[in-house]
Amino acid sequence: DAKTTQPTSMDCAEGRAANLPCNHSTISGNEYVYWYRQIHSQGPQYIIHGLKNNETNEMASLIITEDRKSSTLILPHATLRDTAVYYCIVRDFLSGNTPLVFGKGTRLSVIA
Amino acid sequence: GAVVSQHPSRVICKSGTSVKIECRSLDFQATTMFWYRQFPKKSLMLMATSNEGSKATYEQGVEKDKFLINHASLTLSTLTVTSAHPEDSSFYICSARDLGAGVRSYGYTFGSGTRLTVV
C-alpha cells in the first residue's frame, strides 16, 4: 500500500471547517483513500473513502486531486467532539482480508 | 452497520497473572480478525491476525507464547496476555472486516478497545 504523509497536528475553531490534508504521491490506480479517526481511548471509526471522485457523507467530505496524489478531508462544521486523531490510509481494494496499517495521523484539536 | 464488541473495556491485573480479552462480531461472520496494540500517544501497531479454525499469524517481535490468540468460531476471537508484566500495559484493539459489505467498501470495524494496566 502507498505511503501517506499527514501533518502531526492541527487546531480548528469550533464551528469552522476543518481541512485535513494527506499526501499520497505514490498512489496506484487500484488504491482507495480511506479516512478513519480515533477519539481518545476508543477504537478507530470509519469516516469516508474514495477512489478518484469527491465524496460526501453525513460526517465529512473527501476531496481528491485530479492526479490523486493528495486529498483533503473536510469536516464542515467542527465541534468539540471532533477532537481526535485522523488517519489517512491508502489501500488496494484487491488486498483482500488483510489488516489496515495505520500511520501517525493528524491530531486535530477543536477549540471553543 | 457491522458492529464489533470488545470486552472488557478496562482491566487491572497483578503482575504474573493472565488476562483474556474478547472480540465478537455481532451481526456478521469474521473468518479473520486483527489485534492491535497502542501505547500512549502512538499509533496502532498490528500484533497478529486471528484466523478462524487455524493458527494466528504474529507480526515480527510479538511473542506468540505470551499473546495467545484463539479464534474458535466465526464470531469470536480472544487474546490472552499470559504472565502479564507492567510493560504489557497498553490499549488493545481488535478489528474485523465484514466481507459481506463488498470488496470495495470500507468494511473494517473496530472494537472499542481494552485498557490493560498491569500493577
Side-chain angles (χ1 to χ4, degrees), chain B residues 17-72:
Chain B
T17 62
S18 296
V19 174
K20 179 184 286 188
I21 302 169
E22 292 189 347
C23 182
R24 295 180 184 272
S25 56
L26 295 188
D27 48 3
F28 66 100
Q29 293 182 333
T31 56
T32 303
M33 292 187 179
F34 309 104
W35 288 95
Y36 296 82
R37 179 169 54 183
Q38 185 175 34
F39 292 106
K41 298 198 180 296
K42 300 293 186 181
S43 187
L44 286 79
M45 295 298 295
L46 180 69
M47 296 176 66
T49 298
S50 168
N51 303 297
E52 187 269 333
S54 64
K55 290 182 179 180
T57 51
Y58 291 81
E59 296 300 300
Q60 191 173 7
V62 178
E63 300 175 58
K64 63 180 182 181
D65 294 330
K66 181 168 187 62
F67 298 99
L68 300 180
I69 291 173
N70 183 278
H71 194 153

Side-chain angles (χ1 to χ4, degrees), chain A residues 29-107:
Chain A
N30 294 331
E31 292 180 318
Y32 279 71
V33 180
Y34 295 82
W35 284 84
Y36 280 75
R37 74 179 181 183
Q38 186 181 23
I39 295 170
H40 182 63
S41 293
Q42 296 183 22
Q45 174 191 23
Y46 165 81
I47 302 173
I48 199 167
H49 76 289
L51 182 63
K52 54 183 178 181
N53 298 322
N54 297 338
E55 303 287 345
T56 295
N57 62 20
E58 64 278 6
M59 290 183 69
S61 294
L62 175 60
I63 307 299
I64 303 174
T65 58
E66 191 169 344
D67 63 8
R68 302 208 322 123
K69 293 184 177 181
S70 65
S71 61
T72 302
L73 178 75
I74 301 173
L75 307 178
H77 304 288
T79 70
L80 298 178
R81 287 176 293 183
D82 292 321
T83 293
V85 179
Y86 288 76
Y87 296 97
C88 168
I89 300 170
V90 169
R91 182 175 170 80
D92 189 332
F93 71 79
L94 295 177
S95 292
N97 203 11
T98 53
L100 288 180
V101 176
F102 290 81
K104 296 181 179 180
T106 295
R107 185 173 299 275

Side-chain angles (χ1 to χ4, degrees), chain B residues 90-104:
Chain B
S90 189
F91 192 55
Y92 293 86
I93 306 167
C94 67
S95 172
R97 187 176 188 186
D98 180 7
L99 295 179
V103 174
R104 300 183 190 219

